[in-house]
Amino acid sequence: MIVKPKRRLPWLSMVFSISGSSLEDAYPKILSAGLFATLVTAMHKLFYSGVEETENWLTFEPFTVMGLAISVFLSFRAKATYDRWWEGRKLWGRMVNVSRSFTRQCAMMTSGAAALKSVGHGGVAVDGANLHGQETGAKANGMARIAARPAAHADEKPEGDGTGTGAAPTAGDAGEHVFPADDGTPPSRDAGDADAALSELGGRCGVFAREMALRQVAYVHSFRHHLRGSDPHADLHRILDAQETKAVLAQSNRPIACLQQMGLRLREAWETGHVNDYHLVHLESSLTEMTAIQGGCERIKNTPMPYSYTVLTHRLVFFYCFALPFGLVGTLGWLCPVTVLLVSYAFLGLDALGDEIEDPFGLDPEDLPLLALCRTIEINLRELTAAGRVPPPLEPVDEVLA
Amino acid sequence: MIVKPKRRLPWLSMVFSISGSSLEDAYPKILSAGLFATLVTAMHKLFYSGVEETENWLTFEPFTVMGLAISVFLSFRAKATYDRWWEGRKLWGRMVNVSRSFTRQCAMMTSGAAALKSVGHGGVAVDGANLHGQETGAKANGMARIAARPAAHADEKPEGDGTGTGAAPTAGDAGEHVFPADDGTPPSRDAGDADAALSELGGRCGVFAREMALRQVAYVHSFRHHLRGSDPHADLHRILDAQETKAVLAQSNRPIACLQQMGLRLREAWETGHVNDYHLVHLESSLTEMTAIQGGCERIKNTPMPYSYTVLTHRLVFFYCFALPFGLVGTLGWLCPVTVLLVSYAFLGLDALGDEIEDPFGLDPEDLPLLALCRTIEINLRELTAAGRVPPPLEPVDEVLA
Amino acid sequence: MIVKPKRRLPWLSMVFSISGSSLEDAYPKILSAGLFATLVTAMHKLFYSGVEETENWLTFEPFTVMGLAISVFLSFRAKATYDRWWEGRKLWGRMVNVSRSFTRQCAMMTSGAAALKSVGHGGVAVDGANLHGQETGAKANGMARIAARPAAHADEKPEGDGTGTGAAPTAGDAGEHVFPADDGTPPSRDAGDADAALSELGGRCGVFAREMALRQVAYVHSFRHHLRGSDPHADLHRILDAQETKAVLAQSNRPIACLQQMGLRLREAWETGHVNDYHLVHLESSLTEMTAIQGGCERIKNTPMPYSYTVLTHRLVFFYCFALPFGLVGTLGWLCPVTVLLVSYAFLGLDALGDEIEDPFGLDPEDLPLLALCRTIEINLRELTAAGRVPPPLEPVDEVLA
Amino acid sequence: MIVKPKRRLPWLSMVFSISGSSLEDAYPKILSAGLFATLVTAMHKLFYSGVEETENWLTFEPFTVMGLAISVFLSFRAKATYDRWWEGRKLWGRMVNVSRSFTRQCAMMTSGAAALKSVGHGGVAVDGANLHGQETGAKANGMARIAARPAAHADEKPEGDGTGTGAAPTAGDAGEHVFPADDGTPPSRDAGDADAALSELGGRCGVFAREMALRQVAYVHSFRHHLRGSDPHADLHRILDAQETKAVLAQSNRPIACLQQMGLRLREAWETGHVNDYHLVHLESSLTEMTAIQGGCERIKNTPMPYSYTVLTHRLVFFYCFALPFGLVGTLGWLCPVTVLLVSYAFLGLDALGDEIEDPFGLDPEDLPLLALCRTIEINLRELTAAGRVPPPLEPVDEVLA
Amino acid sequence: MIVKPKRRLPWLSMVFSISGSSLEDAYPKILSAGLFATLVTAMHKLFYSGVEETENWLTFEPFTVMGLAISVFLSFRAKATYDRWWEGRKLWGRMVNVSRSFTRQCAMMTSGAAALKSVGHGGVAVDGANLHGQETGAKANGMARIAARPAAHADEKPEGDGTGTGAAPTAGDAGEHVFPADDGTPPSRDAGDADAALSELGGRCGVFAREMALRQVAYVHSFRHHLRGSDPHADLHRILDAQETKAVLAQSNRPIACLQQMGLRLREAWETGHVNDYHLVHLESSLTEMTAIQGGCERIKNTPMPYSYTVLTHRLVFFYCFALPFGLVGTLGWLCPVTVLLVSYAFLGLDALGDEIEDPFGLDPEDLPLLALCRTIEINLRELTAAGRVPPPLEPVDEVLA
């Protein structure tokens, strides 16, 4: 998405600045139309200078009708593509909302060990280890894993490298690898007063909420990769442990797999009594909302406007812009190319803009800033649950926010 | 739906390529209008060449008004038909969503025997048989049937061929017949590492969730057949057993019958204590959502735009295109047919496009790819529950996705 | 609603066929405008033939502005009236949905005696009578009445004719009278294999669900009569017993009274323990949805578009069509009436169409097929619950579906 | 809202009737424009009769552009104001719906003493008094007050006039004062058979539902007064008792105070065990829906369209209509004023209509009939709960429904 | 938002008044266009007076097409920006609704000590202190803090100044500092009869509801500051105590932190048994609704319309207005600048209006009155819960409501 440093930049500069208008695709076509008009005008001057115009050249009248018809069609297409773009933004807005709400719900609706609060501001006891000890006898596959996943994890894979499993694959991207350090433990940065204040709220949510918040972050990242066709491996590994990452990557629809895992995790919490019957329904509703959001985005991505409509509009605009010189040259002479340029700019520019925002999840300059939205979610959720180092907000590069 | 291999195909080629524009219906009309215009021009040249035009031929002015009026009408019709098409897509998008959510809900909200997890990655004990044994004494018609349907099935129809009942009718379509092999048992393909990873998530959901996911797949297939007026027999038989297929096929609205069966199945699970009171409500809400989606699609299919409106638009476009030569021939001479062609292309093309997408559930090139969507749902649900062989995604044929 | 036998009827025939376009109201006006234009042209020929036109006759230019202004206004009105028509259809679509869902919910969420399944395919024990016997001691006004209403009914009105009460008033409309025979008893038609299959699904729902489904059918019929101002007596009597019919007919808003009765019936089931607390809320939500649908339809019916807007549009169209000859006659001569006819057809036709679909619940040809929708609901619900003889779908009469 | 006695009144009469078009505000402006055009034409005839027009008078061409631009703007404004008007109507439609649903919910979801049904058709025992006796010992502030409010009321205010408190202040508006007589007691009109049938349904709901229905009626009346800025005192006093009326009137937002009281009343019923936990949530949801409706109406009332937009449109229409003569007089001569009148009628009329329906809750002729809607709600709720004398529906006065 | 003292101000004065039209940004551009047109006309008069125009100057015809195209584009942009503005208003309307509903829900759905009603009208016992005493033994961190926060607070921070903590930081803004005095205690203003009536309703809600209402007020204020980029410190401090204010201010998204605190507070009430399982879900749903509203507003604020579209429109309008003189000067002469002024006013004015309302949460004259809305919420909530001094409604300054 193109971001301008100041919203109210001088009007004239907006009119004349070339860069950042993201209509680059349209310029060759506009210039072609202008050149063609120049050619037609030159031909007319050479060969028909003294000839009576009637019968040989078009008048402008049919172009009036066609021009307005095309305006109406283009306006409809602009509306429809803008609606797609805006609906995409709305869906991601809902994703932001549901991420925040789901985190709060997890913090509110777990009880017992899973909800053990870290006491106070600075040093927090390693809840996970303690809980693991308390719970081991109860159920091998249940709450213990929730409370202290890395440890329980080691139990489940004794054949593996018990200590390094979680950390090893992600050791490469230092600075991004936040999970092992913050699983159940608020950040141990040199705790200044600001940090203490920051972690005061997050410190009150339970370890289960912290874990689910991180899963949620993993989900939105994997969903972004799903929409943009990029590789989710790095982001998943940074947050989830190796086994879960592998299970998710094995499925064809990774974000749905993430949601399924979150659901099964909630089920474990429910079975072990840390979430009650009614609250499970409420928490699941948030997962359903995420599923709906994801389906909506996939719909926009996979179903463009009917192709015939796009072709029809393209063709009409094309023929109009290249036939226009014949209608104008008889009256305007050398001003014909200028007029054609202006009209082409309007029609071809709007047409190109429609093409650009029709699929709002790509990496075109005007596409939605999915990465920035994911980052926002990650910042919010980590702050709310005191779950590891909070990354900085994404900054636009060359006035474009990715 | 027409699918182009690359989204950003060269603009010029889009303008000139004939194929794939799905406006074939409109071409005869456009050419007729062009021919008629040629005829009128020829007549005019022959008989009125030296005559004063006033009084005998129309001027273009009334065509300006009419042309714009028609643009406005066509734009409204384009908007309305596009809204129908897009609403149809949204409804099917919601169907994808609710299918995924319902599967997750079933996995999350069953307890007891119905939720028994297959333990681990590779070989899984035949849960069905075991459960059947455990439950036989409890309730004849209840949970046992859920957990191990084919077996319980044999019990219920002792007069039939106890062994072959489920398998026989579907033996024909090898490669599609997935149910008997995977009822309660994850696929026993040569379990490479990739397969193990794939089934790791699905293996954790219970047998009831697996069964309901397959019913859901059967539902969406039967719904597709319902919308397209095709025969659901093969798809139902591939997934459901013979008795249920028969019961569904006997009703006039087959998808609704599928939903009713799913509801009664959930009721059985509730009565036997595997689903609790609150969760039953939540699961039923997903069935209600499916009912709503189905009703929405039936509405679009059965209620076209008011016929009078369509007729009015058709007539106006027709008379306009065939009266246009009389208004242009006096001024433009032999350029009149060219202009008429261009204008006809705009108006008749948009009119034809409206006709095509008005009913979005058919098999026209621009209609919605219901088969591909059903396939997507089947892939997702089978992967999530490790329920049998996962089919490949549907590929477009001649750039058209069915 | 006008229904065409084939969707893709030949385009030309659609253009020229007079019948079925439902614009009959507009034809007199269009012809008047044409005649007036002829008169004006004749006058012009007679008296102004040799006179210089300036100063005496209008030019076409102001008509360009006015014509487009009127197009824009008409387009807005067409949009608004179409939205009303389509919203009406959506509301009835939701009614179809909620009817199906409510029936499934009743089948799923009742327990105990009220949910006793009819066992098997062919002959079913008279559940009603049995239940009545079992329950009589428990509560006089409660579940017994639900399970076997006609019988309990006789108990409550000992002063009446105990045997004939339910049957007598409806004996007249043979072929429609379905209730007494199927109250709790699946149809006893000569049970071929097809019928057995049909009743296999419906036979599994309980008697309470069957009763509620019939009440639901009564509700939608009474709602249709409410919207169309017709007499609901016959349809209510066909389905409900005499006492309830009387109570409903006594109220000014009959459909709301039906809903109230359904609610009180659910309350009885809840009080007697056949519906639990949570499920009562879920079932009530369906009644709330029906109330919302009904209110939406009443809104569309009782609140037309602002009258001033309609008057404004009517007047502008009228003055435009009758002033147009003065603007055209100077230029076009005898072609003026033809042009006026075409323009009048566009404007007056669209205006008349707006009038017709503004109130979509009437009996105009383009109005919504409420009777067919009610029939669809009745078919679905009777099939799903095996509640009596299933009527055939409604067929269009003269291409119009009522 | 303007109501026409027959929907299909003769078309011509609609065109020519002056009254009832509610465009009275626009007439002075339209006539001014016409007079100004006459003046300009006269001046032109006097001074420029023989002068060459070029350079001195405008041509019509710029007016073509401006005229269409204004059409587009006006159309947008018409759409936006109509949407506001229609959204207001939708909100009030939802108010009707929620009132009916809430009444049914109260009837369905109370148990124990509060739900005691009045037995039968004619004479009903004074439930209130009995209940009061039964419950007195239990809780001073609880269910007793619900069941027999006036009596319990006397208990709470022993210092007041125990008998006349409720009745005295409302004795003045005889025929409207319904509360004291029908608190818990179905109407004791000379109970003919029709009345018995009418009260048969209402008699089965409990006293609590009856009370809440009356509170609901009080709420909608106070909300209407709130929107129209009128005095709610009379209507509140007619339905609520003196103490509650006083408490409500003391707050700045009276309808919200009514809702708060209904909520606290429900809480009392919940605390005393007459409403259970889950049903309290469901009942509260209806109050939330009412709050949402109220907020929506306040939004429309308090936030007109951006003022700048209205000013811009007003100015453009004004300058256009008063500049038009200069563009037409050169061509049309004495037909110029007629044309200006027609164009002004279109533009100024649409502009005035936008002004009128922008705030749909006032008392302009085209505003929504809030009083009629409140009356409808009162009729429905009183019939459904047999709560006192049912008022007749509101009739339009001079074709305007208030 | 611009507020006019009387809605129906004289039409002419609206046309001619300069002030308050908030189009100031557009005036320089409009005047520039007018001056440029004057210059062009003067040049034309000087140099081309006797020259034949053909070939040298544009005709008006292309401007007709372009003008209408621009109208269509501007109309779309006006629609889209107005939709953003109106959606922003809708979101804040929902915020008003949910604030009122949440307050009512808190009053309805707490039981035990937290819901202790203040008895009667005038003097109320200091519930907080009493409750604190009762509850101290039960749970250190639980309900006691809810019931009597300032006191419990002192317990938690013994190192701080036990008495002055809450009051000190806010002593500066006398008249705004309402919290310490009204925490749990209805206002002790000289209790006239009016005040008694006012506090009669609020006095019946519990101390927990009162506390939550104040938190809600803090939330909406901090959300307003969040949207407008202003400093929330004063408003937060005025309502919350110092520790909570600090914790909220430490987070990057302050309103979300407020919601999280409200959620954790509800959790405490739930854990201590003052809110039951089902009601917790219902209360949390209101927080989810607030999260959704906040996300919607952030979406509108952070995502303007695609920049390319804005640039395209700006450029087309600019070039049109500055090229128009060349098309008009040949025909109109000295009337050309006047016409250009009128056209520029329409196009540049609408363009500027779009810029202004595109971000509706700023402080431009036409932006939404967030401060007034927050004040409304504060008034409503304080009156409903008798929570401290009720501030007066906000008055517009210079006809602008902030």
Side-chain angles (χ1 to χ4, degrees), chain A residues 301-376:
Chain A
K301 180 181 166 62
N302 294 332
T303 310
M305 283 186 68
Y307 185 69
S308 302
Y309 196 89
T310 307
V311 168
L312 186 65
T313 315
H314 277 342
R315 285 186 188 165
L316 286 177
V317 168
F318 177 85
F319 286 122
Y320 187 81
C321 290
F322 282 81
L324 195 54
F326 299 100
L328 292 173
V329 70
T331 334
L332 300 184
W334 282 108
L335 289 173
C336 162
V338 178
T339 312
V340 167
L341 264 184
L342 198 63
V343 172
S344 300
Y345 181 70
F347 287 167
L348 290 168
L350 199 63
D351 194 40
L353 186 53
D355 278 352
E356 177 159 356
I357 66 175
E358 187 175 6
D359 173 17
F361 300 124
L363 285 165
D364 290 335
E366 284 295 4
D367 284 342
L368 294 171
L370 301 193
L371 182 54
L373 287 163
C374 287
R375 187 69 66 87
T376 300

Side-chain angles (χ1 to χ4, degrees), chain A residues 25 55 267 303 308 314-315, chain B residues 8 14 17 21-22 45 107:
Chain A
D25 279 3
E55 300 284 321
R267 178 203 170 86
T303 310
S308 302
H314 277 342
R315 285 186 188 165
Chain B
R8 298 220 166 218
M14 187 188 282
S17 82
S21 65
S22 89
K45 288 285 171 199

Side-chain angles (χ1 to χ4, degrees), chain B residues 257-332:
Chain B
C258 283
L259 287 182
Q260 188 82 357
Q261 272 189 328
M262 290 163 78
L264 294 173
R265 200 73 164 149
L266 285 174
R267 177 202 171 88
E268 286 172 4
W270 167 59
E271 281 184 327
T272 51
H274 296 88
V275 169
N276 73 27
D277 293 352
Y278 329 107
H279 297 172
L280 183 66
V281 170
H282 196 58
L283 292 167
E284 205 285 327
S285 297
S286 290
L287 299 186
T288 297
E289 165 77 356
M290 292 176 213
T291 314
I293 293 165
Q294 173 171 345
C297 291
E298 290 178 2
R299 164 170 52 83
I300 292 174
K301 180 182 166 62
N302 294 331
T303 310
M305 284 187 67
Y307 185 69
S308 303
Y309 196 89
T310 307
V311 167
L312 185 66
T313 315
H314 277 342
R315 286 186 188 164
L316 287 178
V317 169
F318 177 84
F319 286 123
Y320 187 81
C321 290
F322 282 82
L324 195 55
F326 299 99
L328 292 173
V329 72
T331 333
L332 300 184

Side-chain angles (χ1 to χ4, degrees), chain B residues 25 55 68 72-73 251-253 261 267 277-278 284 288 291 295 298-299 303 307-308 314-315 364, chain C residues 4 8 14-15 17 21-22 45 68 75 89 97 104-105 107 110 115 276 278-279 282 345 366 383:
Chain B
D25 278 4
E55 299 285 322
L68 295 181
V72 172
F73 298 169
Q251 299 235 345
S252 58
N253 193 319
Q261 272 189 328
R267 177 202 171 88
D277 293 352
Y278 329 107
E284 205 285 327
T288 297
T291 314
E298 290 178 2
R299 164 170 52 83
T303 310
Y307 185 69
S308 303
H314 277 342
R315 286 186 188 164
D364 290 335
Chain C
K4 286 296 171 188
R8 299 223 165 217
M14 186 187 282
V15 169
S17 83
S21 66
S22 90
K45 288 286 174 199
L68 295 181
S75 162
R89 181 60 184 82
N97 302 344
R104 186 183 53 245
Q105 288 159 1
T110 41
N276 73 27
Y278 329 107
H279 298 172
H282 197 58
Y345 182 69
E366 284 295 4
E383 286 193 351

Side-chain angles (χ1 to χ4, degrees), chain D residues 25 55 267 303 308 314-315, chain E residues 8 14 17 21-22 45 107:
Chain D
D25 278 4
E55 300 284 320
R267 178 203 171 85
T303 309
S308 302
H314 278 343
R315 284 185 189 164
Chain E
R8 299 226 164 211
M14 185 187 283
S17 83
S21 66
S22 89
K45 288 285 172 201

